[in-house]
Amino acid sequence: MPVREDIFWVTCPRCGEKFYCDNQLRHSSIKLMCPKCRHRFLDSDSPEIRE
Amino acid sequence: MVKDLREYFQTLEAAGSNDVLRVSRPVDPRGFDVAAILQQLENRGDRRVVRFEKTLDLEGRPTDFSLVYNLFLTRELCAQAIGHPRGAVKMPLSLEFARRGEEHREPEVMDPSRAPVKEVVLSGEAVNMTTVPMFRYHEQDIGQYLTMLAVMKDPDDGFYDISFCKNMYLSPRRLTVSLQRKLSKHLLTILEKNEERGRPTPVAFILGHHPALSLGASALTTFGNDDYGTLGSFLGQPLRLTPSTSLGDDFLVPADAEMIIEGVIPPHAAEIQNPFGEFSRYYQPQVAVPYMEVTAVTHRRKAVIQGVFPGHADHFNLGSLAKEGGIYSEIKRVYRGVQAVYLPHSGVGRYTCYVSIKKRREADAKLVGMVPHLHVHHMQFVVVVDEDVDVFNEEDVIWAVVTRARLHQDINVLKGMPRADRVVIDATVPLDEPFPRKAQVPRQAVESCKLEEWLG
């Protein structure tokens, strides 16, 4: 489908918010940012990853 | 008269039209005031341009800036923006866009001392982006954004490339620049040319100008086209340019803009951006994009900042109208029988294209259906219909699909394409087998019928 993206879902380790990221950020050294609490974290620190 | 956003408002309001709604209470970028108002108006079917006359900044302080949204909400408004009759907004408007996209008007250069956009000049330490109102629209948007036109200059050939870009606030002198590395786009090509040489990339953002500029920036142009000339064509007069404040005298910016944000993108700079509710009406995933160091902000006094409501009709028309004209021209180059082209809102003005043709050979529709895929990288579904089907009437198009397409051979899936498969649906009457005739009330009977007399 057109809106299908190459993404993985993460969970913020601080507030539990779930959001998705482009696959370029999987195993990357760039810290993700939670859209709810703005906590910065590596994907490896997410308690749950769905890909 | 010089065409700019203020002149456009005068034209719109002088006509005595009911096109503009004014909101006088201040809107706060720390909440969802703007998006909530625009959503409510949409729910009511109110299709007016909205002027937010008072704004707060990112720290909640009153500003001298106002906002305008919905400049492209209807095809009638888009027609008015380029000086085209509001009563001819189907194919004649698309054709006018095609014509403008192929014309070029050389810009004029004026001294900065006379340029309206230099009424207020802030550079270096004086720049503070928290004073500019920028907004969140959707619940999970990660930050405040500006949606505007980005200008870059090719380091080899000196042409200017202009495209839509969004910027997320990072800090008082830093904004993201929404260029995704994996998508091939003109601005990214210029950025990568500079990066290969270890150089920063100068960039200027146009925040508010005559709406014809934004429509012209959507035109299908090839890399190497000097986009300032194309914008002049849509404007209907040469675009007035003036030297930038911080990017050198040979980097020119529109003199009649409401606000220009200048900056440089360091080589390989990367920062997080998104989620952001985009034109697809889904959140764009979080991604690493370049960022810019803002080097100057120049603006008119009481600047009017132009915004787009992402993922709504305003946004769809902005992406579709110029492309309809461009696709029509591209098809015309290879197939004279093209009649009309429409990018419907159900495909967010980008994913779906309806084309009508005067079919002569059985393979025509399938061949014509390839052309939009070659020229619009977002394109996913192309439906080709006969000339008796109104492409601007989606019910008519779907009727043609369900009654004329032979499902086993007329739905062509192009597999293995970048990002996703593409589809061409041939919904034309087959020429190589017997086919029923469309039922029609006699035209003469309809035309000679005086309805008022029958209804009393």
Side-chain angles (χ1 to χ4, degrees):
Chain A
M1 297 306 293
V3 296
R4 193 194 68 194
E5 301 268 6
D6 297 324
I7 59 171
F8 63 100
W9 282 81
V10 292
T11 301
C12 172
R14 181 195 279 172
C15 74
E17 176 80 349
K18 294 178 190 296
F19 61 101
Y20 49 87
C21 304
D22 189 284
N23 274 348
Q24 69 162 216
L25 294 175
R26 186 76 176 106
H27 307 298
S28 158
S29 59
I30 299 174
K31 286 185 173 178
L32 312 179
M33 182 192 289
C34 172
K36 188 172 180 186
C37 72
R38 307 187 78 77
H39 178 55
R40 300 293 301 253
F41 62 99
L42 290 170
D43 65 338
S44 54
D45 294 328
S46 169
E48 183 188 357
I49 288 184
R50 244 177 58 214
E51 53 188 335
Chain B
M1 181 179 277
V2 173
K3 289 185 176 176
D4 58 18
L5 188 54
R6 295 169 191 221
E7 182 272 339
Y8 177 70
F9 283 129
Q10 285 173 6
T11 309
L12 208 57
E13 295 184 309
S17 70
N18 188 28
D19 281 326
V20 183
L21 174 69
R22 293 177 179 273
V23 177
S24 56
R25 280 175 54 185
V27 287
D28 189 342
R30 296 167 300 173
F32 290 93
D33 292 348
V34 165
I37 292 166
L38 294 173
Q39 184 66 66
Q40 285 242 18
L41 291 169
E42 181 181 295
N43 294 348
R44 287 183 186 183
D46 191 320
R47 292 153 76 83
R48 284 179 286 180
V49 172
V50 184
R51 292 210 45 184
F52 295 97
E53 294 177 320
K54 292 180 184 156
T55 60
L56 304 181
D57 70 11
L58 297 190
E59 306 285 350
R61 298 165 297 214
T63 79
D64 284 335
F65 305 124
S66 60
L67 308 169
V68 61
Y69 282 79
N70 288 354
L71 282 170
F72 314 102
L73 190 61
T74 65
R75 292 177 78 93
E76 287 77 10
L77 282 168
C78 295
Q80 172 135 7
I82 63 163
H84 182 80
R86 290 174 64 137
V89 296
K90 289 185 175 178
M91 207 52 219
L93 180 60
S94 308
L95 292 177
E96 182 61 17
F97 269 81
R99 190 183 70 76
R100 300 283 183 102
E102 290 179 359
E103 280 189 359
H104 206 266
R105 284 206 186 207
E106 277 303 307
E108 294 175 359
V109 179
M110 64 187 297
D111 192 87
S113 63
R114 296 191 299 117
V117 76
K118 306 283 188 182
E119 284 176 1
V120 178
V121 176
L122 302 165
S123 59
E125 299 287 309
V127 171
N128 180 2
M129 293 305 298
T130 67
T131 63
V132 178
M134 36 185 122
F135 290 84
R136 294 170 70 199
Y137 302 95
H138 302 101
E139 190 172 11
Q140 212 179 33
D141 285 355
I142 198 169
Q144 278 89 356
Y145 285 81
L146 294 168
T147 49
M148 49 186 173
L149 296 177
V151 183
M152 287 186 190
K153 188 175 183 181
D154 186 79
D156 297 320
D157 299 319
F159 62 85
Y160 290 89
D161 198 279
I162 301 171
S163 188
F164 287 94
C165 212
K166 61 180 180 279
N167 307 78
M168 187 183 85
Y169 174 83
L170 291 170
S171 64
R173 284 190 289 282
R174 184 175 288 183
L175 302 171
T176 64
V177 180
S178 184
L179 297 174
Q180 291 195 42
R181 297 275 177 188
K182 65 182 181 182
L183 299 176
S184 169
K185 288 191 175 176
H186 296 176
L187 294 180
L188 191 61
T189 304
I190 292 176
L191 177 74
E192 289 176 347
K193 280 187 181 187
N194 285 316
E195 285 180 337
E196 284 166 11
R197 296 159 200 187
R199 294 181 192 157
T201 299
V203 61
F205 288 89
I206 308 167
L207 203 49
H209 204 304
H210 193 285
L213 256 70
S214 300
L215 292 166
S218 299
L220 286 177
T221 54
T222 53
F223 186 69
N225 179 66
D226 192 26
D227 288 349
Y228 277 143
T230 304
L231 299 194
S233 168
F234 277 78
L235 196 60
Q237 63 182 214
L239 183 65
R240 300 202 309 176
L241 302 176
T242 193
S244 69
T245 293
S246 61
L247 305 176
D249 284 349
D250 61 346
F251 193 108
L252 301 172
V253 298
D256 299 298
E258 292 291 324
M259 178 181 284
I260 297 287
I261 298 174
E262 299 175 5
V264 291
I265 302 173
H268 309 290
E271 189 45 277
I272 286 296
Q273 183 182 267
N274 303 338
F276 178 79
E278 254 290 358
F279 66 82
S280 64
R281 301 173 59 195
Y282 288 88
Y283 290 107
Q284 265 192 337
Q286 191 156 103
V287 66
V289 296
Y291 62 80
M292 68 186 283
E293 306 290 1
V294 181
T295 51
V297 176
T298 75
H299 62 85
R300 292 176 166 210
R301 291 190 190 88
K302 298 187 182 299
V304 184
I305 294 173
Q306 188 179 331
V308 171
F309 191 19
H312 294 261
D314 191 30
H315 203 179
F316 301 156
N317 284 335
L318 194 49
S320 69
L321 271 162
K323 290 183 178 62
E324 286 170 11
I327 292 169
Y328 179 91
S329 297
E330 293 298 338
I331 296 175
K332 194 83 175 175
R333 284 186 222 285
V334 294
Y335 187 78
R336 289 189 309 148
V338 61
Q339 302 294 301
V341 174
Y342 179 51
L343 274 63
H345 287 193
S346 61
V348 301
R350 288 146 175 91
Y351 292 144
T352 307
C353 179
Y354 301 150
V355 184
S356 59
I357 61 169
K358 190 178 278 189
K359 181 172 161 182
R360 289 172 293 172
R361 290 176 295 272
E362 187 47 38
D364 285 354
K366 294 178 181 67
L367 293 172
V368 165
M370 299 292 291
V371 178
H373 288 302
L374 297 173
H375 294 281
V376 178
H377 76 274
H378 287 300
M379 189 58 64
Q380 300 290 329
F381 292 91
V382 177
V383 180
V384 184
V385 296
D386 293 298
E387 60 182 321
D388 65 331
V389 174
D390 178 6
V391 294
F392 294 92
N393 179 345
E394 194 152 50
E395 280 187 22
D396 220 17
V397 172
I398 299 303
W399 168 81
V401 171
V402 299
T403 62
R404 295 180 178 179
R406 296 166 293 186
L407 302 185
H408 64 289
Q409 67 185 74
D410 290 335
I411 298 177
N412 298 277
V413 181
L414 312 173
K415 292 184 179 296
M417 307 291 281
R419 284 169 68 83
D421 295 341
R422 308 289 200 271
V423 177
V424 175
I425 299 177
D426 174 358
T428 57
V429 169
L431 300 178
D432 54 1
E433 63 182 61
F435 197 83
R437 179 181 292 170
K438 181 181 176 184
Q440 285 180 306
V441 178
R443 179 182 288 184
Q444 191 183 2
V446 174
E447 289 174 353
S448 62
C449 171
K450 295 188 169 55
L451 194 58
E452 319 76 53
E453 293 176 5
W454 286 93
L455 299 180

